[in-house]
Amino acid sequence: MAHAAQVGLQDATSPIMEELITFHDHALMIIFLICFLVLYALFLTLTTKLTNTNISDAQEMETIWTILPAIILVLIALPSLRILYMTDEVNDPSLTIKSIGHQWYWTYEYTDYGGLIFNSYMLPPLFLEPGDLRLLDVDNRVVLPIETPIRMMITSQDVLHSWAVPTLGLKTDAIPGRLNQTTFTATRPGVYYGQCSEICGANHSFMPIVLELIPLKIFEMGPVFTL
């Protein structure tokens, strides 16, 4: 999860997030290069006496600064489109979880486990244990296995919500009357936090998401759900 004074992105816990971080660094280096070249050109313009009359007609230079931006846009667009199609790809999920947004809590349904359904509310400050995170911990966590393709079916019962877990690279809108889906494969065990990322009313900031990721062998041993 994020920590105080953090500058970069959160550590990746899924292949998709790893790709997103790589693309972020790739695009950032291109932006730094463009900014450096523009500042260098401005510096030369302000400090150099323009005494050469031939600079008013430079067909070669105009050709270069027309083609070069097009090449830069292609270098950014190709990896971006690749990641976009990867996020929409569904690879035969082994487990399906349905998430329903309410004002202001989440309902989860394990459709592969006899319709196990429970609500997940934010823990009030009075119920926090030592080590719990204020405004982020919930009474019932979603327990999922790692290294297993998981499909999330996301919808809403009242207003627009958004189910987002940054460390997994997930952000899917929960829309009333519509069932959206997203898939992910977690690579590391741990507890990961997210929040509703769509302004949904007065208590929008009080509907956190907590995923507890455990090894598949432990998940298959029996009821590990923290109800």
Side-chain angles (χ1 to χ4, degrees):
M1 61 171 294
H3 56 81
Q6 179 173 337
V7 177
L9 301 174
Q10 297 184 29
D11 293 338
T13 314
S14 68
I16 291 295
M17 189 58 186
E18 292 176 359
E19 293 286 344
L20 289 172
I21 292 176
T22 302
F23 174 70
H24 168 267
D25 297 340
H26 166 73
L28 206 58
M29 291 306 298
I30 294 177
I31 293 173
F32 282 156
L33 178 61
I34 293 174
C35 291
F36 175 78
L37 290 177
V38 171
L39 290 175
Y40 180 69
L42 287 174
F43 175 77
L44 291 181
T45 302
L46 295 174
T47 58
T48 304
K49 293 182 179 180
L50 303 177
T51 57
N52 191 346
T53 58
N54 293 327
I55 64 171
S56 61
D57 185 16
Q59 297 294 331
E60 296 81 3
M61 181 59 68
E62 292 180 3
T63 302
I64 292 174
W65 71 42
T66 301
I67 295 178
L68 188 60
I71 296 175
I72 293 174
L73 290 177
V74 170
L75 293 176
I76 295 176
L78 290 180
S80 176
L81 290 174
R82 172 175 168 270
I83 297 175
L84 182 63
Y85 281 105
M86 287 175 61
T87 57
D88 288 337
E89 188 175 355
V90 179
N91 294 321
D92 191 20
S94 302
L95 182 64
T96 299
I97 309 294
K98 185 177 181 181
S99 176
I100 304 173
H102 306 269
Q103 288 182 315
W104 287 271
Y105 63 96
W106 296 97
T107 296
Y108 296 98
E109 178 180 351
Y110 286 73
T111 58
D112 300 316
Y113 285 83
L116 173 63
I117 303 175
F118 61 90
N119 296 327
S120 180
Y121 291 88
M122 184 194 74
L123 283 177
L126 294 177
F127 292 89
L128 292 176
E129 300 290 338
D132 289 343
L133 300 174
R134 179 177 173 271
L135 302 182
L136 285 178
D137 265 303
V138 296
D139 54 355
N140 298 319
R141 295 176 176 177
V142 182
V143 182
L144 298 173
I146 64 172
E147 299 178 348
T148 302
I150 298 172
R151 174 173 57 189
M152 294 294 304
M153 310 294 289
I154 301 168
T155 186
S156 174
Q157 195 175 18
D158 38 48
V159 298
L160 288 176
H161 300 280
S162 185
W163 198 85
V165 182
T167 189
L168 291 171
L170 298 177
K171 184 181 183 297
T172 304
D173 288 341
I175 303 173
R178 179 172 178 174
L179 195 62
N180 291 330
Q181 73 172 358
T182 185
T183 59
F184 67 93
T185 301
T187 56
R188 295 183 298 162
V191 179
Y192 302 98
Y193 297 87
Q195 289 178 302
C196 176
S197 297
E198 188 75 38
I199 297 178
C200 55
N203 293 331
H204 154 67
S205 57
F206 304 120
M207 46 185 308
I209 301 162
V210 182
L211 303 182
E212 185 175 343
L213 303 177
I214 61 177
L216 180 59
K217 291 183 179 180
I218 300 178
F219 183 84
E220 292 176 338
M221 288 175 58
V224 293
F225 309 106
T226 57
L227 297 177

